Amino acid sequence: MPSYSSLFACARRILALYSEECCESDAMGLLCEASGRSRTSVIMDFRRQASFDEAARYASFIRRRASGEPFAYITGHREFMSLDFEVSAKCLIPRPETELLCEHILSLPSENRDPMLDLCCGSGCIGISVAVYDRNCEVYASDISSGALSVAENNAKKHGVDGRMRFFLGDMFSNIPEGVRFGAIASNPPYIGIGERIPRDVADFEPHEALFSGADGTDASRKIIDSAPHYLKEGGVLAIEINSARAEEIRRMFENAGFSDISVIKDYAGLDRIVSGIKK
């Protein structure tokens, strides 16, 4: 059988045909997954002969990655807020910029975010992260996809917060119990316009219902902003992730819905990414 070193070199050449930028990191990451070993362990044993099962798993992983399948779907997990989340093609892959949404919610006084609602929760990464880092917070999570909600429930159990979380299957607020009022609502809704160009691995593999929202991508955001005041306590916070190109339009939606203290938060690339407002 070939060594880890020779398997890695071959995989790197194959993946370079797909993406020169990520070929080395992807080849190494998938080798670690296939062997069940850490990066340090693999490098220290680079001349080690791979087992048949390791080589077969690695070949399968590389074929999938070369076809464009996202790395996280191949491995079945993704790090978010320093936590390991299960992901699958049933839900959107958590992105680093969405951590800003969690950080914003966690920056609020604890009494201002309890209970919290994670709307369009997908893998549950937002609500679960808040529940992990604030052990006193009760979190509700809602998604229109039963598959995504199943992933979120698994993640809540994995991180030991399922006892403080309630999950609801439905479109936006449709199945949220009447009378519940939230200290904070956070959402990473679909915000790409139908017809907008996006990377092939996203368009071909990630769920379209979690990506696209009307002609200009604002349909879901508008629905959330208009409905949120009914579900927020007085002084409660709504914070949503946005398409940076629509920041001013979304900010005006917050104004028209009666929110005050509206702020626009930039991501690590300096792009407008989060809009937040307080219910008067």
Side-chain angles (χ1 to χ4, degrees), residues 2-182:
S3 66
Y4 288 161
S5 177
S6 60
L7 284 173
F8 170 78
C10 180
R12 188 192 182 288
R13 287 194 298 271
I14 292 170
L15 294 183
L17 300 174
Y18 169 70
S19 171
E20 181 66 37
E21 180 182 357
C22 300
C23 62
E24 187 162 334
S25 61
D26 284 358
M28 178 56 71
L30 292 173
L31 180 55
C32 293
E33 287 289 331
S35 63
R37 305 179 70 171
S38 69
R39 179 186 176 91
T40 300
S41 174
V42 167
I43 292 174
M44 288 181 66
D45 265 353
F46 224 27
R47 292 187 176 85
R48 175 191 176 99
Q49 188 178 57
S51 70
F52 176 83
D53 286 345
E54 287 173 334
R57 277 196 299 273
Y58 193 44
S60 173
F61 290 169
I62 296 302
R63 281 195 298 270
R64 292 169 65 184
R65 188 70 188 106
S67 76
E69 185 174 356
F71 185 97
Y73 287 162
I74 298 170
T75 64
H77 60 96
R78 179 68 169 260
E79 182 180 314
F80 181 87
M81 292 289 290
S82 299
L83 303 170
D84 189 63
F85 282 87
E86 172 193 330
V87 294
S88 77
K90 299 173 183 176
C91 63
L92 201 67
I93 298 169
R95 265 73 168 179
E97 55 266 30
T98 304
E99 293 185 356
L100 293 170
L101 191 53
C102 293
E103 291 166 359
H104 178 64
I105 296 298
L106 288 166
S107 73
L108 303 172
S110 58
E111 63 272 16
N112 283 22
R113 60 171 175 264
D114 186 33
M116 176 210 158
L117 172 62
D118 179 359
L119 205 57
C120 309
C121 69
S123 66
C125 62
I126 298 169
I128 291 167
S129 295
V130 171
V132 166
Y133 291 111
D134 179 357
R135 292 291 176 178
N136 295 315
C137 188
E138 181 183 3
V139 177
Y140 289 59
S142 174
D143 202 282
I144 197 171
S145 164
S146 59
L149 211 61
S150 176
V151 173
E153 289 172 336
N154 289 343
N155 279 321
K157 291 174 184 175
K158 176 178 180 178
H159 292 292
V161 297
D162 50 307
R164 287 185 289 114
M165 294 194 68
R166 298 179 65 185
F167 294 91
F168 299 90
L169 177 64
D171 183 17
M172 302 294 183
F173 298 95
S174 62
N175 285 328
I176 300 300
E178 187 59 42
V180 177
R181 295 295 179 267
F182 297 98

Side-chain angles (χ1 to χ4, degrees), residues 185-240:
I185 298 173
S187 182
N188 178 18
Y191 57 68
I192 299 171
I194 295 171
E196 284 188 44
R197 295 184 65 182
I198 58 176
R200 182 169 65 89
D201 57 350
V202 177
D204 290 352
F205 291 94
E206 298 199 54
H208 284 195
E209 65 269 23
L211 295 168
F212 299 102
S213 183
D216 65 357
T218 63
D219 285 6
S221 298
R222 182 179 291 105
K223 185 173 182 179
I224 292 168
I225 294 164
D226 288 346
S227 300
H230 177 71
Y231 294 91
L232 282 168
K233 298 176 182 178
E234 185 177 348
V237 172
L238 171 66
I240 63 173

Side-chain angles (χ1 to χ4, degrees), residues 95 97-98 100-101 126 186-193 196 211 216-218 220-222 224-225 238-254 262-267 271-277:
R95 265 73 168 179
E97 55 266 30
T98 304
L100 293 170
L101 191 53
I126 298 169
S187 182
N188 178 18
Y191 57 68
I192 299 171
E196 284 188 44
L211 295 168
D216 65 357
T218 63
S221 298
R222 182 179 291 105
I224 292 168
I225 294 164
L238 171 66
I240 63 173
E241 185 171 328
I242 64 164
N243 180 337
S244 60
R246 305 291 180 189
E248 180 55 28
E249 184 177 355
I250 300 297
R251 191 193 64 77
R252 286 198 302 270
M253 290 181 192
F254 270 74
I262 300 165
S263 59
V264 180
I265 301 168
K266 294 185 182 297
D267 64 18
L271 300 174
D272 295 333
R273 187 60 62 196
I274 308 295
V275 178
S276 174

